[in-house]
Each structure stands twice: as C-alpha cells, then as structure tokens.
Amino acid sequence: MKIFVLVEHRQGKVRDITYELLTVGRELAEKFNGEVTALLFGGVDEKIDRLKKNAHHIILVEDEKLKNFNAELYQKALVPILKDEKSYIMLIGHTAFGIDLAPALATELDVPISTDCVGIQIEDDNFITIRQMYGGKLNAKVSFCEPGRYIITARQAAFPAKDGNLDGKVISMPSPVGEIDYRKFIEYVEPPIEGVDITKADIIVAVGRGIKDKDNIPMVEELANALGGVLACSRPIVDAGWLPKERQVGSSGKTVKPKLYIAIGISGAFQHLVGMKGAETVIAINKDPNAPIFNEADYGIVDDLFKVVPVLKEKIQELKKG
Amino acid sequence: MDIIVCIKRVPETAEAEIKVDPNGKDIVKDTLNFDINEADNYALEEAVLLKEKFGGKITLISVGEEECEHILRMGLARGADDAIRITDEKFSELDGFATAQILYSVIKDIHFDIIFTGCIATDDGYSQVGPTLAELLGIPHATLVTSIEVKGGIARVHRELEAGLLEAVDIKLPALFAVQTGINKPRYASLIAIRRAASKELKVLSSKDIGLEEPRRKIKIESLFVPPVTKRAEIIEGSPPEAAAKLAEIIKEKGLL
Amino acid sequence: MNFELTKEQKMLQEEVRKFAQEELAPLAPELDKTGEFPKESIKKAAEMGLLGIIIPEKYGGAGMDFVSLAIVAEELCRACASTGLVITVNNSLAAYPILAFGTEEQKQKYLPKLASGEVLGAIGITEAGAGSDVAGMETTARREGDYYILNGSKRFITNAGVAGIFVVFAYTNKELKHKGISAFIVERDTPGFSIGKHEDLMGMRATANAELIFEDVKVPKENLLGNEGDGFKICMNTLDTSRIDIGAQAVGIAQAAFDKAFAYAKERKTFGQPICEHQFIQGMLAEMATRIHAARLMVYYAAFLKDQGKPRISKEASMAKWFASETAVEVTRKAVQIHGGYGYTKDYEVERHYREAKVLEIYEGTSEIQKIVIARSLLRGL
C-alpha cells in the first residue's frame, strides 16, 4: 500500500496542512508497511528540508505552470502518477486546493473519496474515515465501498503535525502537462478592509465586567490585534458606554460563531453564553473558579486577567513570528 | 446564456437539536424544518443575476422525493424558468458520486453555458457533487466561488482561499461553478412570481426515464454518533507567564494562529 | 373542511416570513425608539408586491385573496408591528375601498400607485371628537360647482405623515344623519390640506401617525367615492374587511411575544431548573398558545368567508378582531411576566410587544364596539 501526499503550497511556501497530512501518512504507512511519497508540483521558494524529514520519497515536478494552484493542471499531473497504482491512499488537504481538485481527480481515476475527514481508523481491515456532519453536531464513520485505492481529504488542523526523522529522496519527474486554455490562474487578491462586523470574525476576544475600567480595554484590544481577531464585549461594557453596541455578544446583542472565542473577565451569564455558544474553541480567563463561563469553555485560566493578558499577547506575538 | 442550477433540500440544523435515529445511520427528521441548501440559494441568485444581464433560461434540478418540489417552486418564484425533479425509490442512501451520476444523466442532454451548484451542503458537507459532475461532463470547474464576471465566453471568478485571501482564475465556458455563501444577496420572490410558480408544471423524471438503473455508490455511512462532549474547561495551571505560554501553544496547535 | 393553506399561500407565508424576519425584525427596536418612518423597508416591501396584495394584476397588484392578506399582516407584524401596520393600512384601508367602491377611472388612477408603493395610502374616519361614534364626525363637504369643499380635521391617522392618497369621510348632508356621510379620495398636495402634529404613541410608533387638517380643500367631484350618502356604508364595509387584518396583526404580535417568552423560559433557570419546568410557567405558556391558536383560526376563517364571497361578515370579522386583540394584550402581558424583571427593561423586546398590543383593542372599533356589532348581528339573526 503506497501513501501519497499532495504538498500544498502557496506563494512559494509549504502550508501547514502538508505536514499534518504527512504525519497521518507516516502513521498509515507504518500500519500498512508502506512508504510515504510527497508530491510537490511546481516547486517552492524555500528549502525542503522539513519535507525530507517527513516523507520517504518526494516526487518533484518542476513546471512554471504548476507554481500556482490550478485544479485542472494538478489533476493532469497526478493522473499519470496514480493511474497504474493498484493499492494506495492519496491524502490531500480539504482546503481551497483539495475542494477544487480531489473530487474531480477521484472521478477521473474512478477511486472512492471521503472528504473533510477529521479522523482515520482501521477497523477489521476496513478503512474508516471520521467526518463531521450537521455543522459538527454529529460525527459519522464513513467506509469505502471499493477496496484497494482511496482518496481522503483531511480537514485543516484536525490532525496534529509531528515531524519525522526520515531522509526523503527527491525524484525529479518531467512535467506531463501541456498548456490548457480552459483554466488560467490570474493573480491573488488581498481582502479589502471594512468596518467592524463581529459576526464575520473568525477570532473574537471579548471583554467583560472584570476589566473594571474603560482605560484597561486597549490592553485587551492589543491581544485581539495580535491574534488577528476582533474586539467584542458583554453587556456591562456597552452599558457603561465603553464600547459601542455593535461589539456586544449576547442575547440582546449579537450571536457569533467564530473559530476562536476568548472571554476575558466575563462571568458567563446565560444571556452572554447564548450569543457565543456556537464558537468552535472557547477560552476563558477569569479569577473566579466558579464562573459559569468555565462550563462553556474548552480551556480556562483561573487567574487575574491583568496579569495574564499582557503576557499572553507577548507569547502569541512570539509564536507568530516563529 | 442558459444556466442549470442544481439544488438540494436539506434539514435546517443550525438551531435545532439533532438526534441519531434508532438504526444509527441517519437522523430523526420529523421534527426538523427543511429548506433549500443555503449555498444553493446563493447559486440560484447568481444565475438570476447573469440571466438579467445576458438573457437565456435557468433550469433547476433537484434529486429527491415529492417534498423537494417546494424548493423547486420557490426557485421558480425567484427567477428560474423550468424545474426538473429526479426521483426513484431506488435512490435512497445516495453518496456524492451517485448524486453526480444522476445529475449527469439528465444534464448531458440539456444545453447549458454554466452550471451552478452550492459549494457545500449543510447536512453532510462533502463538497463533492460539483467537481464530480463537472468531471463526468468533461467541463472545467471552480469551487468556493465568491464572484463571477462573464465576458466573451470566459468567466473571471474569484475563489476563496484561506485567511481572507482570494485568487482570480479565468475559466472557459461551458463550465461548472460551486459558489460560496455570501456571493450575493438572494432576492425575495415577488408575490406575482409566487402565484405563477405555484401553478407551474414541474418535470419529474425517474431512473427509467434517464436510463440509469443503479447509480454507483462509492462510500457509505457506517454509523452516526454524537461527538464526545467536554463538560468542563481544561484549566491551564501555572504562573501567568507559564499558563499564557501553554495557552498560546494550544491556540497555535489548533491552527488558529 | 379543508384547513390547509393552498400551495400558493404556503409559498407566500414562507417568503414573507423570511423577508419579515430578516429585513424588518432587526430594525424594530430602533424604529420604536426614534419613531422614524421605515422608508427603506417599505420600499423593499413594495418591490415584493406587498403594498397591493389584493389589488388585481391589471392595476399592478398581486391579485391575491383575503387569506393571503391576513397571512402577510400576521407575518409582518410578528417581525415589526409598525411596518406591518403601515403596509396593512395601505392594503385594507386605502386600496380596498377604492377597489370595492371606485369607478373604473378612479381604480385606474389610484390603484397602480398604491400597489407599486409610488404613493402610500391612508384613511380618515376618526376625529378628535368622534371615535366610536363615527356618525358624530364634524368634517363637512360642501358641493360647489365641480368641487366639494372639505372643512374639518381627522385625528390619529396612520400613514398621515407620508401618504399621498387619502380616503376621507365627511358630511355632505347633516340632516340625513349617518346617511348624509360621503367618502372622498383626497390627494396630498391639494391646497388647504395639511398634516398636523405627529402623535407620540405608546406603541406602533413608526407609523407617521398624525392629524389631517382640511381648510377649504377643493376636492374634484370625480373623487367622490361611490354616491353621495354612501359614506357610512363604505366605511362599515371597509372596517368589516380591515378588522380581519387587525386580527391578523394581533395574532402576529402575540406570536412574537410568545416565541420570545418560550425561548426565555427554556433558558432561564430558577430553583435549579429551567423555568419552563415550573407548573405556573407551563400553565401560562399553555394558555398563551391556546388563545393564539384560537385567535388565528377565527381570523383565517373570517378571511376565508370573505374570499368565498359571503356578503356580510361583520359578525365573524368583529369576533375575530375582538378576540384576537384581547389575546394579544393578554399574551404580551404574560410574556413580560415570564421574563420577570428583565421583561420590564428595554433590553428585551417583550415590553415593546406589550405596548404595541394595547392599541389593537382600541383602533378600528374598540372592543366595546366590536361586542355591539356582534350582539346586533345575533339579534338580526345573522
């Protein structure tokens, strides 16, 4: 059983999902006595030492046409590599890359595909993928109806990345793709900067009564900025006139469903919880260990927010740089 | 410009409580409201915007039982011209590939310049049907489309990448686009349009009519289960700098940095 | 007995509910605060065709029936009572009398404008000194050559501040008592016609409610609606129909209050459990839901009778209006109660619903008048 991993890269850099896939790939390779081959199309601008640590082989197809992602061309490059293989798992990220490429690839190769997986298991020689359904309210065990070849797209950050200690051999392959006129990558477009709509933010840092004074709010806003997120708050802050109503999360404010919600100095009265219950990951910082917010949070720090927040901001900035 | 829009009827689960039914492979549906999949609604509006600009016809297609006629009619009220429902008792437990096959069997005989689908369904979320259908039809496609402009047989689309970044791509028509929510603001059907759509004939096709006996399924759901729930926050210990460092790592590990 | 809405009515209900919840509901609290007329919302509603629901297609309307009108009134008021009232008045108090009693010329002149939203409509019956006692009005219309000269004033007129087409009732012959009242279509920019002060209301505050002042207003004779002396009949017939829509408004407001109270009762915990587990709260919820259910059935039944062409529906319309309006007041009161102290604050919308509901028992015939209408119908053997 061969394990193939499509290296996802953008603007010259390998994206994190690649290393997550390679980690899963190596685990599967161990189970099946196989080896992991990373497929790098177009090339990157950085050293590929880390890729070499994480794969047994790296097939490198250098081609200007493949430097920027193009689903049609990537499919054309993958098919010759895979079409004669009888036993393999092809791992692709469930990303803007994979969503575009993988189902079409699976159709051309006539291979079953399970998308957006958050888990992979072996049960009695059967491959089981774990997927979320109904907005994450339920999980499903999904199996393949035809054995031997599988394509799996994995959700970003669902599988932890752990570096291996392999010494991947690079095999250069000539590009099998010619020019096409039906799909052309034109350019990247940066997002425009607009006014604040906290319901659209992926990361929200919300401040509550515990902040005690209006002049302490900038400290929390700096944390929000460091995370690339948006400042929000609970009712008392709006009542005091310290932040505008549009920043309020709660039953008489806005309902938000961000990927990350950090509640700082917020006790967690149900009127507030109702507005942020849908957040994927909730972190609470409050010096009261019995604050109800800790029942809604995934992680918590029971301590003085004035001591924790500044230092948390620094740590975040450090990690972002590194 | 002739456009086909593939739409799906899904349960509204965002605010509802979801229970696994006794057979363990499906959910209890009788207390749920159903409606058109959100992304498909945006797809229909995008089609109507293009029709307003270029003229032509919009055909809606949905695979499903009689209940899905409601979303087809609402689609007609919003600006589509024709609606086709494909059905058969044998079409239970379809996966993305099988659904695409069924759609392909009907679409291959219809003239189109663009096919629109939603890029993800809120029930099973595979994001599979669009690109699969495009591949079967032998046409190019693009997913996660957040804007589309057509000129001289080429569509300039923006695709949503990660972290707010977009990419601009040119696709030659005929092509399939799986659109992302938020691409436009779906209009409300006018009362007169509702009146007309309420009495319009819908075309209903069965597997015999489309010459597809048994659509091929490639994956299947073994079981549905409630994901393990954490009742209490994991408290991070240590002095403020220690705890902060651990927390920062956790945020990073979740890919949120 | 078929209790199902038709396919068309179901589609209408779904679409209007979506429109109301997404476009109108979020703006309701602010409108209540400022009293500012919801111009943008009305424009959007007009684009959907909501301003001319029962106006036939040939005059630019949607050509739908009275059940459909009731559906729209309920769904709109469930989201925003002010916007719902503005739109209902346009349909059932301005467009309806012109549709039912107007000449072809009048219909062609005014109905398309009302249907498209180009001009909004209002009705002028009530005066400072004459509410329940309609025949006690004092506005006069003196015939002079090709015109009627109107003098007097009307009070508490919804849409007054923004309307361009007014159906106004005035005495052409006081000696004939109520048979001396006539109805007129008066256009806004007629000299002598002005709008008085904007009322500061308890609820339904964004409805441009104000006085109409007539000082030697020259209304062309072509704008006489019906014949001289038909005014009272036209007025009663119009109110019979519009009362159905008041009933629908009441059901909408009651439903909105109930939904919020129900949601709150499931979340709020006291004595260790959600309050919806406590017997008293359960009792209240049961009473609220039952009354709303009964009110809704009565409203739609009256609308159904109207669609069937039953000539006199005064009894059923008054029953529906009286019962539904009292239901709304009772349900909104209980909704505030269920919210406890929070219900008394402006952070929660139930206090607004409570304020909005009260007028339902007063306008378009007070509850007392409704009972008189019902009793008289019974005594007439109807």
Side-chain angles (χ1 to χ4, degrees), chain C residues 77-127:
Chain C
C77 287
R78 186 174 171 182
C80 176
S82 285
T83 313
L85 180 61
V86 167
I87 293 172
T88 323
V89 166
N90 200 67
N91 276 285
S92 57
L93 291 175
Y96 173 78
I98 299 176
L99 179 62
F101 300 98
T103 61
E104 190 55 38
E105 289 75 26
Q106 287 168 336
K107 289 190 227 186
Q108 284 189 15
K109 185 169 182 192
Y110 294 108
L111 292 181
K113 293 199 165 96
L114 289 171
S116 68
E118 187 191 325
V119 183
L120 288 176
I123 196 166
I125 308 168
T126 304
E127 298 185 1

Side-chain angles (χ1 to χ4, degrees), chain B residues 192-254:
Chain B
I192 292 186
I194 288 175
R195 277 191 67 200
R196 303 216 199 297
S199 51
K200 182 135 189 183
E201 273 292 306
L202 302 181
K203 200 159 161 195
V204 181
L205 299 172
S206 71
S207 58
K208 221 185 310 176
D209 298 323
I210 64 177
L212 183 64
E213 276 308 305
E214 194 82 51
R216 253 175 82 204
R217 222 169 43 146
K218 294 196 182 175
I219 55 172
K220 81 175 203 244
I221 295 180
E222 296 288 341
S223 66
L224 286 180
F225 56 98
V226 177
V229 168
T230 45
K231 278 284 162 190
R232 178 82 190 166
E234 188 188 307
I235 303 297
I236 300 170
E237 308 283 359
S239 68
E242 287 166 13
K246 286 187 205 165
L247 187 54
E249 270 303 323
I250 290 172
I251 294 175
K252 176 169 186 239
E253 260 168 56
K254 287 193 174 286

Side-chain angles (χ1 to χ4, degrees), chain C residues 327-358:
Chain C
T327 295
V329 172
E330 181 56 20
V331 166
T332 53
R333 182 186 75 76
K334 286 192 160 86
V336 172
Q337 191 72 7
I338 288 174
H339 278 73
Y342 292 101
Y344 201 67
T345 71
K346 286 196 187 275
D347 292 343
Y348 286 82
E349 293 183 77
V350 283
E351 64 82 32
R352 186 184 87 239
H353 295 317
Y354 189 33
R355 286 186 284 112
E356 285 165 350
K358 189 69 198 85

